[in-house]
Amino acid sequence: MTVPSVDSPEDAAFATAAMAALRESGPLSLEQWALALGEFGSVDEIAEVLELLADPMVGFLSGDKYVALDALLEGLVFTHRLTDIEIFADVLEASPDLDPILGFAYGTDGLRVVEVEYETQLLNERGFESAGSRRVILLPPGSLADFSAGDLVGLAVEDGQLTLRAAEVEDEPDLAPVLGKIFAANGVEALDSASWQLLIEDPELFTVPSPPLGELFEAAGYEHQRELLAERGFDFIAYGVQLRTVSVSEQYSLGHDEAVAVVAFVDLADRGYTDAAIDNFDIQDWARRHIAAAPDSFVSLADPGVAVAVFDLGFRNQDPVSDMILEALALELAGQGPRALKPAAHWLAGKAADRLGRVLEAEAHYERSLEWEADWGPALFELAQFASDRGDVNRALSLLGRIDGGTQEVLHEVLQAFLPVEHLELGRNDKCWCGSGRKYKVCHLGKIDESILEDGRWLYKKVCMFAFASEFADRLVELDNLASVNLSEDALRSRTIFEGPALDVALFEGGIFAEFLARRSELLSEKDLATATEWLGTRRSVYDVNSDGAILVDRRTSETVTVTVGDSAAPGDVLSARILVAGTTTQAVGGVVLTSDQQVADVLQVLAADDIDPVELVTVLS
């Protein structure tokens, strides 16, 4: 049997049978679960259906086993001791006391699980600052009005939902013996998994109100940090570094020593970021002292893949202080580190200088990288992009050609459209084909046709290539996923991010175009700079397509525009696009044919706002 598509009746039947088997026979490994289903399922099918089973139905245990949480936790009650700030804000810290039942809060009316890191504004409005939980439970205002600091509140699982009530301790279990059994094979466990395993080992636990889990863990000689639980004295920091090192090794296909160097460098930069908040902090002196203490400790960064991993892991999100820390560390590595590190050090310094708005300094750093190692790939690629921005297609392609796999880069494909056209029928001393009267060798030999430089196509592609930098990747992916949500599998396979609205919206409404202009203006020709400046304020609109598909009538202004480059719709269509004018030419970019009157109305409504939300715009366009 193959797993059906999401929300199909077959899916529902499969999920029902799978959960029934898990409730009856669990905990089960995937293999045991498949056997329990008999001919109805397989290991692969179980693994896929797990994606369809919403929290809080399935819990993952150590030993690679699964348990049906609704059956395991039904009728149990977990307690939490309240603080003044929780009562004031009607918020409950989740960790560690409520972690085992947190999934049920998602399906309980009136309760909301909040990720502290991403909902600071909401929590600030409540006057709440978390004491350490990654997630908290938001209660309706007034829910805790009858409680005082130190009181116990109980959350009971009843019919798959949580019920809030006052609680008094009726049982004080000693968890040490059972925890000792659970932790015998491992020094640390996920807090929720360990708690579920407690209930499997002793089904009588928490059938009546007991002290909060955190207090019981402490009495048994255990401590927690975020979502982890271990015996008292466990080195959570070292364990976290170990986990991150393994993750980095797998994510970037690095050896252990290389991953260690990546994590160590990023952690050092993070410490510098924290220290930078101190008054009179001297970034360069701080970097000098730390690099001088162990100048050879980051030698693995000499490998291009390792250096790229450092930048992607630690610095892809743009932040001026973070960039200054990176630049200071990279400059010290370039000065104090071993010779093998110098190409990577100058490349990292160049990335920081570029982000800090000093593109010519960045270019000089990339050139220094090549002085130390002529074919150091990441520096070659950055210089190829700079050459493209300057309009030097031959140099850009030459630089890409020196990179292993450089001809497979998107930039290489883009540049092919802007290669100089060679007129083999002309000798070097013949009159040029363009009619200037000059000799071919001094006029157009090896040069791009001026019409290509003037019509704006290459400029727009330059901005698009800039958007592919790692610091913008998350923005692009989010919008591209929204733009792709209604596409068929065939359409998904055939499209690229250049098609559709996502990239264009990311550029303009998402602010990437403004960033391009701020950081690349020194590389652009006067003509490109003037055109880009005019484009910056260009708004998307909705157009009726007339004539042969090249004449558009703006629904908002009734103005008519003739599109001579990049027309993307047929007569009678309603098109949402951005019209960019360069010289005497126009192009419609980011075009989407709207399919209903309601969609047209929705798009026009979003476009009417003074400050357009990129996510909202891509959503209505899709």
Side-chain angles (χ1 to χ4, degrees), residues 37 50 59 123 146 183 190 243 270 302 306 322 326 350 357 509 580 622:
L37 278 168
L50 282 174
L123 295 175
D146 296 331
F183 281 80
L243 288 182
D270 286 344
V306 181
S322 178
L326 173 61
E509 286 77 18
L580 301 179
S622 303

Side-chain angles (χ1 to χ4, degrees), residues 1 14 30 37 44 69 118 134 191 201 218 226 240-241 328 343 349 364 463 467 501-502 506-507 551 608:
M1 171 183 173
F14 186 83
L30 286 179
L37 278 168
D44 289 341
L69 294 180
Y118 303 112
R134 184 169 65 87
L191 196 153
E201 302 291 340
E218 184 177 0
R226 302 300 285 265
V241 171
V463 187
L507 293 180
I551 298 178

Side-chain angles (χ1 to χ4, degrees), residues 2-66:
T2 59
V3 176
S5 60
V6 176
D7 296 330
S8 68
E10 293 88 349
D11 252 349
F14 186 83
T16 298
M19 287 308 301
L22 189 62
R23 291 187 186 101
E24 182 178 349
S25 306
L28 299 171
S29 66
L30 286 179
E31 291 78 9
Q32 293 168 336
W33 201 350
L35 286 173
L37 278 168
E39 295 182 0
F40 195 60
S42 69
V43 170
D44 289 341
E45 290 162 5
I46 292 290
E48 288 191 36
V49 84
L50 282 174
E51 300 294 326
L52 310 177
L53 299 176
D55 233 6
M57 296 182 73
V58 179
F60 183 69
L61 305 172
S62 60
D64 294 332
K65 290 194 173 184
Y66 298 85

Side-chain angles (χ1 to χ4, degrees), residues 59 103 138 213-214 286 289 291 296 310 324 338 362 381 396 443 461 463 488 498 537 545 563 586-587 589 605 611-612:
L138 221 62
L213 263 178
W286 172 88
R289 287 185 286 105
I291 296 300
D296 296 331
V310 160
M324 287 188 284
F381 183 79
C443 190
K461 288 292 187 180
V463 187
S488 67
F498 283 110
V545 183
V563 180
T586 59
Q587 55 180 319
V589 296
Q605 181 178 358
D611 188 12
I612 299 173

Side-chain angles (χ1 to χ4, degrees), residues 514-537:
E515 184 78 11
F516 170 82
L517 202 53
R519 285 170 49 183
R520 292 290 179 269
S521 59
E522 291 180 275
L523 302 182
L524 299 176
S525 68
E526 289 185 12
K527 188 179 294 293
D528 271 357
L529 183 57
T531 299
T533 303
E534 290 180 6
W535 283 359
L536 189 59

